[in-house]
Amino acid sequence: MKRLTRLIILLIFILGWPSFCYARDDSIDWTPEELAFMEAHPVIRLGVDPKFVPFEFFDEDGTYQGITSDYLEIISEKTGLEMVVTPGLTWTEAYEKALQGEIDMLPAVSKTPAREQNFLFSEPYYYFKRVIVVRDSTQGINSIEDLYGQTVAVQRNSSHQGYLEQYPQINLSLYDSAEAAVTAVANGTETVCVGNLATSNYIIQSTGLTNLKYVAFEAENQQGLYFAVRKDWPELIDITNKALATISKEERIAINSKWIGVDVEPNYESVYQVVMVVSGVIILIWLVSVYWILRLRREIDKRKKIQRDLESAKQEAEAANNIKSSFLARMSHEIRTPLNAITGMAYLVKKTEVTLTQKMYLDRITQSANTMLSIINDILDFSKIEAGKIELERVPFNLDLVIQDVINIVSYKIEEQRIGFKLSKDPKIPNCYFGDAKRIEQILLNLINNATKFTNAGEVSLDIRLVARESDFYHLAFTVRDSGIGMSDEQIKNLFEPFAQGDASINRRFGGTGLGLSIVKSLVEMMNGEIQVYSTVGEGSTFIVELSLEKDVEKEQEYQLQVSSLYFNDIKTLVLEKTGSNMNIIDSYLGAFGMHCELTTAPSSAINMLELENGKFSEPFDLLILDYDTPAGGGFKFIEMIQENKKILKKPKVIMLLPMMREDLFDQLDTQGVDIGIGKPIIPSVLYNGILEIFRTKALVANQEFKQEDINKDIMAHNYGILVVEDNKTNQLIAKSLLEPVGFKVWLGNDGQEGIDLFKAHRSAIDLILMDLHMPVLNGYDAAEQIRALSADIPIVAMTADVIEGVKEKCESYGIHHYISKPFDPEQFVEIISKIVSAETKSKMEPERQRADHKNEGADDAAMVLDREEGLRYMGDNPSLYESVLEAYFSENQEVSENLDLDIKNGRYQEAAQTVHKVKSSSGSIGAKQLFEIARELQKALESGAEKEIASLHPKFTAAMKQLLAAIKNG
């Protein structure tokens, strides 16, 4: 009997031992390698899509639910592995962590060729159908081909994104979740989205979206759902497949019915069999349950400790990252404050009487301070990029002004290296775009500064070309070439790595942080652009940046209207330039302005041409564009020869192209008989302005710069008062020394409380407050909040060295709506303050101006026919020139309506379009807005042969022309 009892106990022990030891199904044939793996890796980290309903998601209580969750629960029971969901991640973040090896398994993914390069995949455990989701009212979408040319909403990093990327004819709009993509279609933000049927149906039913429908298409009959595992864990794939193989058909149907809601008749007979088997072993399980529970409790405690340790490590890492960000912010603030004093005091000293040598020393101080500032900015930008917190703006900007700013900054370094610089820009490229001008400027500055640093002889060039155009989007290539030291293939591989340079010797010889090109690559990729590098050791390097920029149609039309309104065809021009490439560039720019010119590289040839064109046989030259370095004795001596040459009966106007960093030559222009001086390299808009300045009295362009003289006059006229609240005495001195000489009255406060007291005492005389943010007694934020309680209108400008993310938003919340970063450029500082004060003053005067405008509303109709004020502005505010242009317009267009009528009746639409085009250009230049708009639409209709539109617009054109000629005749 005792022997029988011992045998039963031993049998129970043998049957129970695998369960409580491994907590896995012993009926599965595990290999030794698989058992060893499960012992070594009891916890599997999961990365899930929190909104991939009904497959996986988190419910209102934060519990992980769905089809995949149920499969994971079964696998966990059969293997004894603990499946732990990594919390707080979006699908994009989970996917990235899986790529980096920080997550072991993605439990609900589809298989794509790209993913197979990074993960191992299990057998599929679920199949779903891919569908197109559109609104009920949408027609004409029945297949994948119908999506060509359209923008399709799709979840980011999903298999649907990978599938659609096989069709370059389809544009993608990426969303962080499937629910966001479907909702965007429902509310009209998007036209169509692609997803799987189960998820889309679940979203539509749970959110009550009733205006959507599905379109099935034969892309792939069925899409499988897989478990994806890191590449170095093949054992886990085998374990998962074996566990999946043990899941019965009935269990799969039950899971599907639970979440998809499909009615399926279950096979209760098999369920009964399972119940009987379970009942048979329940007594055995009960016998070992106590011991099993004790072992499990100890294991759970152990794992909880591991979880606490992981949470603690995570918190420590986040704390370390916060300390790093705080350190960078404090370091930036502490360095920027003395830099502001250095640049400000150097600027003030330059305003005094200093020798040329002293001025050179001061320029070196300013340049060194700016270099240090650029290093700080690079470190901060890299930190923002690394944290994913950098954002791009979308604002209108002028490309020529960006190029001009870049050249102004790099010219000092180029002159210091004593190398050449060449700029070429395709005249067909528009000037006005939407985008982040500051980041584009930063990209070009980094590339050109880098090229200059490694070039000891030769030249650096910037070439801007049009690659392609798609509607209003222009694909531009910015090419920076140099003739410097070049790079090897090995150096190019590491070129865009942060803090990396070609080798240690480069860092010692040339300096730098090694962050510039890393930042450039990140910014280019954020703009959906591309950067390419080509280099040969000893011969130089070429960097090509391709960006897609959206044209600012309205601003560009205004700019082109002004260009077309100028009568430059009659200006006979001679260009004297020794370099053939520069000569061709000037020729292309002048051609874009509608001008024709003659070119020569020899000064003697230029003299002969000026002598021969004396008015007897041909018209003399109106304009001479002269490179200063081309004549042997210099440009001024050549101009003197022209002035003394009696054979040249009519002396042309002169535009002289001056070398970089030769400010002394600009001072001599007036005394040497030169009308306009332009610094090289030549920027199209600057050359354009120069010609306007000579032949139109006053240059008026779409992006006219704010003149300092106008600022000073406005300040003197209004006697503006500025309250400076700043605890740093040096910064107080700089601000006061900059503001008082141009006419501002200045009060100084040492802290926030003094600032409030001064504002209360001089409230009526103070027009603007400059506020430092970090001060003793009371900081700038609290001071601004208290001042806002006293006045809602007074402009408050933050003047701070804080440039970290969130400062501007915090300023806005405290009523500080303007922001100046230290260190600031002294001249720009005065200009910004002046613009803010002037704008505030004008806004206060606006109600009075509106009342005055209300009285003049009766003149609006007449202005639509002929806006004399606008036309006069196009003529440089020259009344006599405007009247002569009106007379010429009146005489030239007497028979236009009659001739146009004959061309249209006879079907000569192209000739009619040319006639209307001429009228459109000249009408815009005199201020005939109504006729200009009608002519523009009629020209389009004529060029396309749209007879219905022609029949509608032709009478309107005739009537508008009649009204305009009558208005000109009546004065």
Side-chain angles (χ1 to χ4, degrees):
M1 185 66 182
K2 288 183 179 180
R3 179 175 294 179
L4 180 61
T5 304
R6 288 174 185 173
L7 186 60
I8 292 172
I9 293 172
L10 180 61
L11 179 61
I12 293 171
F13 184 80
I14 292 171
L15 291 173
W17 172 256
S19 299
F20 65 72
C21 185
Y22 299 108
R24 65 179 66 92
D25 189 346
D26 192 46
S27 64
I28 299 174
D29 184 19
W30 305 113
T31 66
E33 291 80 6
E34 292 165 352
L35 292 172
F37 178 88
M38 287 187 278
E39 285 296 331
H41 306 284
V43 179
I44 305 300
R45 299 170 297 178
L46 303 178
V48 305
D49 184 345
K51 296 183 178 181
F52 189 27
V53 291
F55 299 105
E56 57 178 2
F57 60 94
F58 292 100
D59 63 15
E60 295 178 353
D61 298 327
T63 304
Y64 180 54
Q65 297 280 6
I67 293 173
T68 301
S69 172
D70 288 354
Y71 274 95
L72 282 171
E73 186 176 352
I74 294 173
I75 292 173
S76 183
E77 290 175 359
K78 292 179 179 294
T79 62
L81 296 175
E82 183 178 1
M83 305 293 179
V84 178
V85 177
T86 304
L89 300 179
T90 64
W91 168 239
T92 301
E93 292 168 344
Y95 190 83
E96 290 298 325
K97 285 186 176 291
L99 291 175
Q100 296 165 10
E102 298 178 23
I103 282 176
D104 306 323
M105 176 187 284
L106 299 174
V109 295
S110 295
K111 187 189 298 186
T112 66
R115 289 175 175 173
E116 286 186 285
Q117 296 178 9
N118 299 297
F119 302 104
L120 300 173
F121 286 84
S122 71
E123 294 297 326
Y125 64 89
Y126 195 88
Y127 293 94
F128 60 85
K129 180 71 176 178
R130 183 174 282 135
V131 294
I132 299 171
V133 182
V134 295
R135 289 188 296 279
D136 290 338
S137 58
T138 302
Q139 302 294 327
I141 295 180
N142 299 301
S143 66
I144 193 70
E145 288 78 13
D146 295 331
L147 302 182
Y148 289 176
Q150 297 202 42
T151 298
V152 177
V154 67
Q155 183 181 13
R156 191 188 313 274
N157 288 333
S158 66
S159 63
H160 311 300
Q161 178 186 351
Y163 170 74
L164 292 174
E165 285 176 346
Q166 301 175 33
Y167 298 90
Q169 307 94 328
I170 300 175
N171 301 315
L172 303 186
S173 179
L174 303 180
Y175 287 81
D176 288 333
S177 68
E179 182 177 350
V182 173
T183 304
V185 175
N187 62 28
T189 305
E190 303 285 358
T191 304
V192 59
C193 81
V194 170
N196 72 70
L197 177 61
T199 300
S200 302
N201 183 58
Y202 192 97
I203 291 169
I204 290 170
Q205 292 183 2
S206 61
T207 56
L209 301 175
T210 59
N211 62 334
L212 299 177
K213 66 179 180 180
Y214 306 117
V215 177
F217 64 99
E218 293 297 324
E220 298 167 2
N221 287 331
Q222 284 188 329
Q223 301 298 313
L225 208 60
Y226 302 80
F227 293 99
V229 175
R230 48 195 289 180
K231 277 269 188 176
D232 56 343
W233 283 9
E235 297 88 352
L236 184 54
I237 282 295
D238 295 335
I239 292 168
T240 304
N241 284 334
K242 288 181 178 180
L244 285 173
T246 65
I247 300 175
S248 66
K249 181 179 179 181
E250 290 76 13
E251 289 176 305
R252 294 175 185 266
I253 292 172
I255 293 173
N256 185 75
S257 302
K258 176 181 176 182
W259 297 106
I260 305 299
V262 179
D263 294 325
V264 179
E265 278 294 327
N267 186 351
Y268 291 106
E269 187 174 336
S270 60
V271 175
Y272 293 147
Q273 292 176 355
V274 171
V275 170
M276 293 299 293
V277 172
V278 170
S279 300
V281 298
I282 194 167
I283 297 174
L284 185 62
I285 294 174
W286 180 82
L287 291 174
V288 297
S289 62
V290 175
Y291 185 77
W292 174 245
I293 290 171
L294 291 176
R295 283 293 298 266
L296 275 180
R297 185 171 296 172
R298 273 182 283 175
E299 185 68 21
I300 289 171
D301 291 340
K302 180 181 177 181
R303 294 185 180 184
K304 282 183 177 179
K305 184 178 182 302
I306 294 172
Q307 186 67 28
R308 286 194 298 270
D309 292 342
L310 289 173
E311 290 291 335
S312 177
K314 179 184 176 185
Q315 291 173 2
E316 289 176 4
E318 290 175 348
N321 188 55
N322 291 334
I323 291 171
K324 181 192 75 172
S325 299
S326 178
F327 169 75
L328 286 174
R330 176 54 59 187
M331 178 197 70
S332 171
H333 184 277
E334 294 301 326
I335 296 176
R336 283 172 179 271
T337 299
L339 277 180
N340 187 61
I342 293 169
T343 55
M345 295 305 293
Y347 176 81
L348 294 176
V349 173
K350 283 172 66 176
K351 290 294 185 181
T352 64
E353 295 182 5
V354 293
T355 65
L356 187 61
T357 302
Q358 290 170 331
K359 184 177 181 295
M360 182 183 70
Y361 292 159
L362 291 169
D363 287 338
R364 289 296 178 92
I365 291 172
T366 303
Q367 181 67 21
S368 298
N370 289 335
T371 301
M372 189 172 184
L373 179 62
S374 68
I375 293 172
I376 297 169
N377 288 337
D378 279 351
I379 294 172
L380 288 174
D381 278 344
F382 175 73
S383 179
K384 290 178 183 177
I385 291 170
E386 192 178 37
K389 294 181 178 179
I390 199 163
E391 294 182 359
L392 297 177
E393 293 182 331
R394 185 184 180 277
V395 295
F397 71 93
N398 184 294
L399 184 59
D400 272 2
L401 293 183
V402 172
I403 297 169
Q404 190 170 351
D405 288 342
V406 169
I407 291 170
N408 289 339
I409 295 171
V410 302
S411 58
Y412 182 90
K413 185 69 176 176
I414 290 172
E415 183 65 20
E416 185 180 53
Q417 292 284 90
R418 299 188 180 279
I419 58 177
F421 183 78
K422 185 170 70 176
L423 168 70
S424 58
K425 175 175 175 266
D426 188 347
K428 298 176 183 178
I429 295 176
N431 273 334
C432 304
Y433 298 94
F434 290 105
D436 195 327
K438 287 298 179 184
R439 294 301 179 185
I440 294 173
E441 179 180 314
Q442 185 178 2
I443 290 169
L444 296 179
L445 278 175
N446 267 311
L447 292 178
I448 297 174
N449 275 329
N450 211 56
T452 304
K453 181 166 65 173
F454 295 107
T455 303
N456 295 321
E459 70 175 16
V460 173
S461 66
L462 170 62
D463 179 76
I464 305 171
R465 287 284 175 266
L466 177 64
V467 177
R469 176 187 174 187
E470 293 180 285
S471 185
D472 290 333
F473 284 87
Y474 287 74
H475 301 282
L476 305 184
F478 300 82
T479 304
V480 177
R481 293 187 180 89
D482 66 69
S483 55
I485 62 175
M487 293 176 289
S488 66
D489 292 341
E490 188 63 30
Q491 289 172 331
I492 292 175
K493 289 179 183 178
N494 301 321
L495 191 61
F496 297 108
E497 294 296 323
F499 304 106
Q501 293 188 327
D503 54 45
S505 64
I506 285 181
N507 190 38
R508 289 195 298 270
R509 290 165 57 198
F510 300 99
T513 61
L515 285 175
L517 291 178
S518 174
I519 292 170
V520 165
K521 188 173 189 295
S522 297
L523 291 176
V524 169
E525 289 176 349
M526 287 178 68
M527 296 179 182
N528 297 319
E530 183 180 357
I531 183 168
Q532 303 174 56
V533 187
Y534 304 94
S535 186
T536 303
V537 175
E539 296 184 11
S541 305
T542 299
F543 288 78
I544 303 174
V545 173
E546 292 189 7
L547 296 176
S548 179
L549 299 177
E550 181 183 359
K551 183 175 73 171
D552 186 342
V553 177
E554 184 178 348
K555 290 284 181 63
E556 186 64 22
Q557 283 179 348
E558 290 178 8
Y559 178 77
Q560 294 299 333
L561 175 61
Q562 289 174 345
V563 172
S564 66
S565 69
L566 302 175
Y567 297 93
F568 281 174
N569 290 334
D570 298 330
I571 300 175
K572 192 172 183 180
T573 305
L574 174 62
V575 178
L576 174 57
E577 163 64 64
K578 64 181 176 182
T579 307
S581 58
N582 285 342
M583 189 164 57
N584 292 333
I585 290 170
I586 296 171
D587 182 32
S588 67
Y589 291 165
L590 294 177
F593 304 154
M595 300 173 63
H596 301 283
C597 63
E598 297 189 30
L599 312 170
T600 181
T601 58
S604 58
S605 173
I607 293 290
N608 291 334
M609 295 169 75
L610 290 169
E611 289 177 350
L612 291 173
E613 308 291 331
N614 54 16
K616 294 181 180 179
F617 303 103
S618 60
E619 292 296 323
F621 286 100
D622 301 297
L623 174 64
L624 170 64
I625 299 177
L626 164 68
D627 174 48
Y628 176 84
D629 291 327
T630 297
F636 293 147
K637 187 175 181 181
F638 185 78
I639 296 299
E640 185 179 347
M641 291 170 56
I642 292 176
Q643 300 296 340
E644 295 175 354
N645 191 327
K646 296 182 179 179
K647 293 182 181 179
I648 303 175
L649 301 180
K650 180 185 176 183
K651 304 299 189 287
K653 299 289 185 180
V654 178
I655 293 179
M656 186 170 289
L657 309 179
L658 301 174
M660 300 176 81
M661 300 300 292
R662 287 297 304 272
E663 295 178 0
D664 56 312
L665 297 180
F666 281 92
D667 297 334
Q668 304 176 48
L669 295 177
D670 292 336
T671 59
Q672 297 293 335
V674 178
D675 296 281
I676 293 289
I678 296 176
K680 297 177 75 174
I682 307 161
I683 298 173
S685 61
V686 176
L687 178 62
Y688 176 68
N689 278 355
I691 299 171
L692 282 172
E693 190 74 26
I694 293 175
F695 292 99
R696 289 268 310 280
T697 306
K698 183 179 180 182
L700 288 170
V701 292
N703 292 279
Q704 181 180 8
E705 294 187 5
F706 200 76
K707 300 296 182 184
Q708 188 68 36
E709 296 81 8
D710 298 334
I711 293 174
N712 294 344
K713 289 177 183 178
D714 183 61
I715 295 169
M716 294 295 185
H718 290 85
N719 193 27
Y720 295 121
I722 307 291
L723 171 59
V724 179
V725 187
E726 165 70 66
D727 63 324
N728 187 292
K729 297 294 183 183
T730 304
N731 287 338
Q732 285 185 1
L733 175 61
I734 292 170
K736 186 175 182 181
S737 301
L738 290 173
L739 295 171
E740 285 186 341
V742 296
F744 287 109
K745 186 177 180 181
V746 179
W747 290 268
L748 298 175
N750 295 308
D751 55 59
Q753 188 58 54
E754 282 191 26
I756 295 171
D757 296 338
L758 285 168
F759 179 72
K760 289 178 179 178
H762 306 281
R763 181 171 179 175
S764 60
I766 294 174
D767 297 287
L768 181 141
I769 300 173
L770 279 171
M771 182 75 72
D772 186 26
L773 297 181
H774 300 285
M775 295 179 290
V777 184
L778 189 68
N779 64 48
Y781 295 114
D782 295 333
E785 189 174 35
Q786 294 187 35
I787 290 173
R788 273 283 167 258
L790 300 172
S791 172
D793 301 326
I794 185 74
I796 304 176
V797 181
M799 188 173 62
T800 180
D802 282 346
V803 293
I804 59 173
E805 185 179 5
V807 173
K808 288 186 179 181
E809 291 77 7
K810 186 176 180 181
C811 286
E812 288 284 347
S813 67
Y814 280 87
I816 306 173
H817 303 306
H818 305 280
Y819 186 95
I820 295 177
S821 175
K822 298 176 188 174
F824 47 73
D825 180 89
E827 292 182 356
Q828 290 184 0
F829 172 75
V830 175
E831 183 177 324
I832 291 170
I833 297 302
S834 305
K835 285 182 177 179
I836 294 172
V837 173
S838 299
E840 291 292 333
T841 303
K842 289 177 182 177
S843 65
K844 291 177 182 177
M845 297 171 61
E846 190 63 28
E848 297 179 10
R849 188 180 295 110
Q850 288 179 355
R851 285 193 292 270
D853 291 343
H854 185 69
K855 298 177 182 178
N856 298 324
E857 285 180 356
D860 287 348
D861 293 338
M864 283 299 295
V865 176
L866 181 61
D867 190 337
R868 291 180 177 272
E869 289 185 5
E870 183 173 320
L872 190 60
R873 180 165 62 84
Y874 287 147
M875 297 298 135
D877 291 331
N878 188 330
S880 60
L881 174 61
Y882 184 51
E883 291 301 326
S884 63
V885 170
L886 286 178
E887 291 177 8
Y889 184 94
F890 184 82
S891 61
E892 289 175 0
N893 292 289
Q894 289 296 318
E895 299 178 356
V896 163
S897 297
E898 185 178 337
N899 294 337
L900 180 65
D901 189 45
L902 288 174
D903 286 338
I904 291 177
K905 285 182 178 179
N906 293 320
R908 296 192 296 266
Y909 290 157
Q910 293 305 315
E911 289 85 344
Q914 292 176 5
T915 301
V916 173
H917 173 71
K918 293 178 182 178
V919 171
K920 179 189 70 172
S921 299
S922 55
S923 298
S925 67
I926 64 173
K929 294 185 287 188
Q930 183 183 44
L931 182 58
F932 174 82
E933 295 295 336
I934 296 173
R936 183 171 62 181
E937 297 300 321
L938 180 56
Q939 181 185 345
K940 290 180 182 178
L942 289 167
E943 289 174 346
S944 61
E947 295 188 355
K948 187 176 180 180
E949 285 79 3
I950 294 171
S952 173
L953 292 168
H954 180 205
K956 295 180 181 179
F957 178 89
T958 304
M961 175 61 78
K962 184 177 180 180
Q963 289 178 328
L964 177 60
L965 294 177
I968 295 174
K969 183 177 180 180
N970 297 330

